[in-house]
Amino acid sequence: VLGWEREICQIADLMDPMLKSILLIEDDLAIRTTISTWLEIEGYQVFTARNGREALEKLVQIGRPKLILLDIMMPQMNGWAFLEEFEKNVDLASIPVVILSAFKNTAFTMKPHSVIEKPIQYDTLIRVVEKYCA
Amino acid sequence: MDPGTTDQPINILVVDDKPENVLAIEAALSGPNYKIIGAHSGQEALTLALSTEFAVVLLDVQMPVMNGFDTARVFREIDKTRSIPIIFVTANHPSEDAALRSYRAGGVDCLFKPLNVEILRTKVEVFAELFKSKLEIKRQAKLLRDAELRQRDYQLAEFRRFSERKYQELIDNIPNSIVFALDPESMRLLYSSRRVEEITGFEVDAFFKSNELWVSRVHPDDRVKYSEDFARAVETGKGELDYRFIRADGRVIWLNAWIRTALDESFKKEMRGLTIDVTRLKEIEAALRESVKIRDRFLSVAAHELKTPITPLQLQMQGFQRVLKKGVIHKIPAEKLELMVEISNSQVNRLGRLINELLDLTRLDEGRLRLNLSHTDLCLIIRSTVSHFEQETEEDGTSPFILKLPPSLEGNWDSQKLEQVITNLVSNAVKYGMGRPIEISAKREDHVVKLSIRDQGIGIDPKDQMRIFERFERAVSEMHYGGLGLGLYITREIITLHGGKISVASTPDKGSTFEAELPV
């Protein structure tokens, strides 16, 4: 785990905006705001989308984030539907996806993804994010 | 001896070693009333007396070998002959002494030779009459006994008939059950209680006429297992069968049968059994299983719903813990800290609301939800609820609310419960409204207040419009939209408790309008 001050310094040092960027796809306002705010405090650049459809649009705008944090239960386009579309796109399919889910049986995707179980532990979130954004 | 024929001649035994004496008495007593049987010795007399009934014995005293007194003694010693009256006939001169000796020897009287025919006839007649009376009494007694026996037989038969009828009635009246017996080889029906008609819809005779009818009505999907189970039951002597049966009217019922082999009166094997119509039980079982499934799904949804507000709360707490430990909390901008606290607060409220919803569900299930009526302004509730949602949706980029309300709409309602109703309806409109404008209007018409909440979101399929007001129901998959699936159920119950009603009009992809009426 990097030291707090070092992380703050790193934000300032960031030349490439996508270096520590994360796309968070989550419909719940409170969860979305909380995760994005704390990840920003931890020194990440966080893009947000409220469902799968918005996320696909966002990906067109922002390019390739280092990591996608994906909720499953969402209106309009849920996590599974997003993954299906996402994995079809060869440009995007290599971006690691970590699923955030309150349901235990989430083992249903074409390729295996890490799962962070809700309610989310702060340390777990940070550890996973660091692993992919290092 | 037949006691019914008293008019037959009466047997008189005459014992004398001299045949001419026997003949003389026979002549003296001749007539249709008597049948004289002669014996020429005591032994012969005994032999006769053992096989034939005699009214009286005329016994000569002076006989060789075994004289009259000896013979009489033997007569008295034998049960069969003991009660035959004996009149001694003696050649002695009539004397008291002779008579006395006769009595001592067990005689009832004594006649002296030469015999006076008149006296002989009179004395024999007395014993003949006595004998006749005795016969008559015997006959009457037998008649009486026969009559009693017949009466008892009749009563027994009657009782047997009665208890058989009672058993029959009992068996025929066991609800939903058929008692039956089958020949295991030919499958021929040997017996069936009457309920078979009610349960199968067929006349009982139809099953007696056709051995195949029953099997042919077993549900095709269960027929193989039925035949296997039955064959095994025949083989092992007992078994249980559980299968569907198609009634005469086509309705499918569930039957459960217990069968065992038994031997009939002629030691022939037969299958006896009890078939019970368990359709109702199966239905209850299915309903129970379904409700357990619904309950389980609900619990999983409820757990998910409760975890959702805990996620931001936990992240906030652990995040703050981390920055506090590192002593860097001052580096976090104040507006971010404020936002965090605000979110935490709203999540605590959200948890509280969820728990209240769960409690409401329990109260509704137990009929314990009570209204706390007071003077209430509906417009005030709508405005404050909407402003709360506006704060939340502002950041979410959702649509504006359009309110079409008079300054106030007052009535005698439960303000807390109405707030719950408005919150549920507005949050649905936000949730399914696809970010498009939501119109909320209310107005008074006569003695009711009409409330309408219209969104332009995903809408509800007509087939789902009925069930969305039911417990745990939702028109859309829980994989897309959260919530306990209780909101509209609780909403409808609260409105119904107020004496009002609620309905929905909706077109998929165009939006939904919920309209409620509340009596003032």
Side-chain angles (χ1 to χ4, degrees):
Chain A
V1 179
L2 291 171
W4 173 257
E5 284 85 357
R6 251 180 82 199
E7 286 171 44
I8 295 284
C9 291
Q10 275 183 347
I11 302 172
D13 291 346
L14 279 177
M15 299 306 290
D16 180 359
M18 296 309 281
L19 197 62
K20 294 187 84 176
S21 65
I22 293 162
L23 174 60
L24 169 64
I25 313 169
E26 164 69 59
D27 67 319
D28 189 90
L29 174 66
I31 297 179
R32 195 168 67 240
T33 315
T34 304
I35 294 178
S36 63
T37 307
W38 281 103
L39 287 179
E40 275 162 21
I41 291 171
E42 292 281 349
Y44 297 91
Q45 185 181 13
V46 184
F47 300 98
T48 59
R50 289 178 300 174
N51 58 57
R53 185 150 327 284
E54 261 189 33
L56 290 172
E57 288 164 11
K58 208 85 175 202
L59 281 168
V60 176
Q61 294 168 25
I62 64 168
R64 286 176 57 94
K66 282 278 182 195
L67 172 68
I68 293 173
L69 293 174
L70 175 67
D71 181 30
I72 290 303
M73 206 182 79
M74 292 182 294
Q76 290 175 64
M77 183 187 270
N78 71 13
W80 305 130
F82 167 79
L83 279 174
E84 219 173 287
E85 289 297 311
F86 170 80
E87 282 165 9
K88 274 190 227 161
N89 187 326
V90 278
D91 289 339
L92 300 174
S94 58
I95 303 173
V97 174
V98 171
I99 291 166
L100 311 174
S101 177
F103 288 111
K104 294 215 168 176
N105 52 337
T106 37
F108 168 73
T109 52
M110 281 175 239
K111 62 178 187 187
H113 296 282
S114 310
V115 174
I116 299 181
E117 218 176 272
K118 286 178 183 173
I120 299 165
Q121 302 287 328
Y122 193 92
D123 288 347
T124 312
L125 177 70
I126 298 303
R127 199 168 56 240
V128 169
V129 167
E130 271 173 1
K131 183 177 140 196
Y132 289 102
C133 296
Chain B
M1 189 204 62
D2 183 359
T5 54
T6 46
D7 290 340
Q8 275 186 344
I10 287 164
N11 296 333
I12 312 284
L13 180 60
V14 180
V15 191
D16 203 310
D17 56 323
K18 298 183 184 72
E20 61 271 25
N21 286 345
V22 176
L23 274 173
I25 291 173
E26 199 174 350
L29 296 174
S30 70
N33 293 340
Y34 306 120
K35 183 180 175 191
I36 309 300
I37 296 164
H40 297 99
S41 67
Q43 289 94 326
E44 197 186 343
L46 252 173
T47 312
L48 281 165
L50 284 172
S51 62
T52 314
E53 296 264 344
F54 293 99
V56 62
V57 184
L58 295 170
L59 181 58
D60 185 25
V61 177
Q62 288 85 20
M63 286 190 295
V65 186
M66 194 177 169
N67 70 23
F69 294 138
D70 294 336
T71 307
R73 204 175 306 117
V74 178
F75 262 66
R76 290 292 162 265
E77 276 167 15
I78 296 169
D79 279 347
K80 167 92 176 159
T81 55
R82 183 175 295 143
S83 57
I84 307 173
I86 296 169
I87 298 173
F88 287 109
V89 181
T90 177
N92 289 348
H93 288 293
S95 68
E96 277 192 4
D97 185 46
L100 213 61
R101 280 207 295 152
S102 303
Y103 298 141
R104 266 194 215 113
V108 292
D109 211 340
C110 186
L111 290 173
F112 299 94
K113 290 179 188 171
L115 290 168
N116 179 317
V117 174
E118 261 329 289
I119 289 173
L120 174 68
R121 289 181 80 106
T122 310
K123 294 209 165 172
V124 167
E125 203 175 314
V126 168
F127 289 102
E129 283 307 314
L130 200 68
F131 182 71
K132 264 192 189 169
S133 313
K134 217 167 83 186
L135 282 185
E136 180 61 19
I137 287 165
K138 263 191 188 170
R139 196 180 68 90
Q140 293 288 350
K142 188 170 190 318
L143 280 176
L144 204 65
R145 206 166 53 240
D146 286 354
E148 272 171 7
L149 278 174
R150 269 201 305 278
Q151 175 75 13
R152 213 172 52 211
D153 281 352
Y154 176 75
Q155 279 171 345
L156 263 175
E158 187 72 344
F159 178 72
R160 211 168 287 134
R161 266 198 299 280
F162 173 70
S163 48
E164 264 169 26
R165 202 171 58 232
K166 217 164 66 176
Y167 273 121
Q168 192 63 48
E169 259 175 41
L170 261 173
I171 284 170
D172 283 342
N173 284 324
I174 305 172
N176 304 323
S177 303
I178 306 163
V179 178
F180 66 91
L182 281 174
D183 175 2
E185 272 154 42
S186 67
M187 296 294 281
R188 193 167 58 82
L189 184 63
L190 304 170
Y191 170 81
S192 171
S193 61
R194 303 291 298 188
R195 286 267 165 166
V196 72
E197 302 189 335
E198 190 185 287
I199 290 169
T200 65
F202 287 99
E203 300 267 317
V204 65
D205 282 347
F207 295 110
F208 281 114
K209 277 177 198 152
S210 162
N211 299 347
E212 286 82 36
L213 178 59
W214 191 278
V215 183
S216 77
R217 304 303 293 188
V218 172
H219 193 284
D221 293 351
D222 296 344
R223 210 170 287 158
V224 173
K225 189 172 179 303
Y226 172 88
S227 304
E228 285 170 4
D229 287 350
F230 196 92
R232 198 173 310 117
V234 172
E235 198 184 299
T236 62
K238 64 180 178 188
E240 189 191 353
L241 287 80
D242 203 35
Y243 58 99
R244 280 164 293 173
F245 183 94
I246 303 165
R247 277 171 48 94
D249 60 11
R251 197 153 60 78
V252 176
I253 55 173
W254 274 98
L255 296 179
N256 179 272
W258 284 88
I259 47 178
R260 61 182 179 84
T261 41
L263 298 177
D264 70 2
E265 305 84 63
S266 49
F267 299 102
K268 206 169 161 306
K269 231 192 205 181
E270 67 177 43
M271 302 295 296
R272 289 180 195 159
L274 176 69
T275 297
I276 304 172
D277 181 352
V278 291
T279 313
R280 183 90 193 93
L281 285 175
K282 290 273 182 186
E283 282 168 3
I284 292 169
E285 194 188 328
L288 270 177
R289 210 168 276 154
E290 181 59 23
S291 70
V292 166
K293 218 168 76 188
I294 288 172
R295 206 28 91 144
D296 284 351
R297 208 185 63 192
F298 173 72
L299 284 176
S300 138
V301 166
H304 177 270
E305 283 303 299
L306 289 166
K307 279 180 191 169
T308 303
I310 289 174
T311 291
L313 275 174
Q314 185 168 292
L315 283 172
Q316 310 285 10
M317 294 299 169
Q318 294 176 348
F320 279 124
Q321 212 171 22
R322 186 168 150 115
V323 293
L324 281 170
K325 216 190 239 168
K326 296 189 170 176
V328 293
I329 192 157
H330 58 278
K331 291 188 179 167
I332 300 173
E335 74 268 15
K336 283 208 165 154
L337 287 174
E338 236 170 75
L339 176 63
M340 294 292 130
V341 173
E342 206 176 279
I343 289 174
S344 297
N345 200 25
S346 75
Q347 295 314 293
V348 171
N349 289 338
R350 191 165 156 189
L351 270 175
R353 276 201 306 276
L354 280 168
I355 289 163
N356 275 335
E357 256 183 70
L358 291 172
L359 288 175
D360 279 351
L361 172 71
T362 321
R363 290 195 193 108
L364 282 171
D365 280 357
E366 293 169 4
R368 285 195 294 115
L369 195 72
R370 298 270 177 274
L371 294 180
N372 188 7
L373 299 178
S374 65
H375 194 73
T376 303
D377 181 358
L378 181 65
C379 293
L380 205 67
I381 294 176
I382 294 174
R383 287 198 187 93
S384 83
T385 308
V386 165
S387 88
H388 170 78
F389 272 97
E390 270 170 341
Q391 278 173 17
E392 274 196 8
T393 53
E394 211 176 306
E395 301 145 53
D396 223 6
T398 357
S399 55
F401 290 97
I402 303 161
L403 301 189
K404 292 182 177 170
L405 303 172
S408 74
L409 279 169
E410 291 170 346
N412 196 30
W413 302 308
D414 184 323
S415 61
Q416 262 187 323
K417 297 267 185 311
L418 273 200
E419 196 184 319
Q420 217 177 326
V421 166
I422 303 296
T423 303
N424 283 338
L425 292 174
V426 172
S427 83
N428 274 349
V430 170
K431 195 153 107 185
Y432 303 115
M434 290 173 75
R436 300 200 186 109
I438 294 160
E439 188 185 295
I440 304 172
S441 63
K443 61 181 178 205
R444 181 164 172 169
E445 272 180 23
D446 296 328
H447 295 291
V448 292
V449 162
K450 288 193 168 176
L451 167 72
S452 155
I453 294 173
R454 188 163 70 87
D455 69 62
Q456 297 169 49
I458 60 170
I460 305 159
D461 203 284
K463 71 172 165 46
D464 298 322
Q465 287 177 15
M466 285 303 287
R467 63 177 183 89
I468 53 170
F469 292 104
E470 299 305 322
R471 247 167 37 148
F472 311 139
E473 291 288 359
R474 55 179 79 229
V476 289
S477 152
E478 60 244 37
M479 291 317 290
H480 286 89
Y481 294 93
L484 288 174
L486 289 176
L488 284 176
Y489 169 65
I490 292 171
T491 296
R492 186 193 62 181
E493 294 300 307
I494 290 172
I495 289 175
T496 310
L497 277 174
H498 277 93
K501 56 185 179 186
I502 185 167
S503 62
V504 65
S506 181
T507 313
D509 300 324
K510 289 267 158 61
S512 308
T513 305
F514 284 86
E515 286 185 329
E517 275 183 29
L518 282 170
V520 176

